[in-house]
Structures are given as structure tokens and as C-alpha cells.
Amino acid sequence: WRANAASGVLAGRGPPAFGRDGSVAFVGIDGSLVVMEPSGDVRHRVALDRGALATAGPTGPGSGPPRPAGDDGPPLLVDPAGRIAFARSSGRVGVVGPDGRVAIASERLCASPLGIAATPRGFVVGCAEGYLIGIGEAGGEEPGDTHQPEP
């Protein structure tokens, strides 16, 4: 796979995440999540932020290159089933399923997400405010459970 202007897919500043099937997921320069097949074909391209437009190609004649998105938040996390967890610098947190559907866990989970880590039943988001917030299936951490460090 190749993400560049010639392919119509421009990668943002964050690191890519790799799926078990050889696919690569990254946040594009326009703030969209892009998942590419090993062949280089785009499997999914979805907006991660409200109002963001995910476009499949160049922006049009005379419009110039797209402007880089702001801080994209922590790196993406891909689980063995192909679900992609994300946390944006705006605090928006969610999961993109293998079918490309976006499920939003929270519009503003915390003010400053720092990282995402896998758990046996979901994932946890670390926040600059000192919180660890678990997102997952019932039976483990419940969506919205917060754990704050002891003073």
C-alpha cells in the first residue's frame, strides 16, 4: 500500500496501526480514518470528527492541497477482530467496526486523551486529567467506568 498525493490518500502526522490481515489504518490529513488493503485499495474512509468530510480524491482544481488536521489525538488501536479504537484531541472516542461503521462511545470522554490500550474486553483511554476510562463489553469494565488515581 502507498498513501501519497498520487493515490489520493494523504496520511496525517500520526503513526499507522496494522491489522492481522495486513491492512493498515491511519488518520488522513483531512482527519478521516483510512483503512487500506495490502493491495493498496482503500477499504474504508470515514470521518472521525463531526463536520469532517472524508473525500476519496483530490480536493479539486485550484483549491490547493488539503490542510493538515490539528492534533489527531493518540495513536489508533486495532484489535484482533479488526475493530479500530480511536480518541481524538477533542475528546471524542469511538470504534470503527470491520464493516466501516462508526460507534461513538463519547463525544467528550475527557479534555485531553493521551493514549489507548487494549483490555481483554475492550480498551481503556488514559487522560491528562489523571483518569483511566474503560470502554468495553459488559462483564468487564462498563462503558464510562472511571478510575482516578489515589491522592
Side-chain angles (χ1 to χ4, degrees), residues 70-129:
D71 179 15
D72 293 332
L76 302 170
L77 176 71
V78 181
D79 75 6
R83 295 178 293 241
I84 303 165
F86 66 89
R88 304 293 286 159
S89 60
S90 66
R92 191 174 214 223
V93 174
V95 175
V96 178
D99 60 359
R101 287 193 226 178
V102 180
I104 301 300
S106 176
E107 287 293 339
R108 187 152 173 88
L109 192 67
C110 59
S112 299
L114 296 175
I116 304 173
T119 67
R121 296 180 182 253
F123 63 100
V124 64
V125 177
C127 303
E129 298 88 351

Side-chain angles (χ1 to χ4, degrees), residues 109 124-125 131-136 140-148:
L109 192 67
V124 64
V125 177
Y131 293 101
L132 293 176
I133 303 173
I135 307 293
E141 294 149 334
E142 294 292 329
D145 276 1
T146 60
H147 306 279
Q148 190 170 23

Side-chain angles (χ1 to χ4, degrees), residues 4-51:
N4 61 23
S7 68
V9 180
L10 296 172
R13 291 177 272 182
F18 298 92
R20 282 187 168 179
D21 63 356
S23 62
V24 62
F26 59 90
V27 177
I29 196 168
D30 62 355
S32 65
L33 171 75
V34 179
V35 180
M36 294 181 78
E37 303 279 352
S39 66
D41 294 332
V42 174
R43 180 187 303 167
H44 303 300
R45 189 168 192 164
V46 296
L48 296 180
D49 296 314
R50 285 186 179 266

Side-chain angles (χ1 to χ4, degrees), residues 51-67:
L53 298 176
T55 57
T59 55
S63 62
R67 296 179 185 224

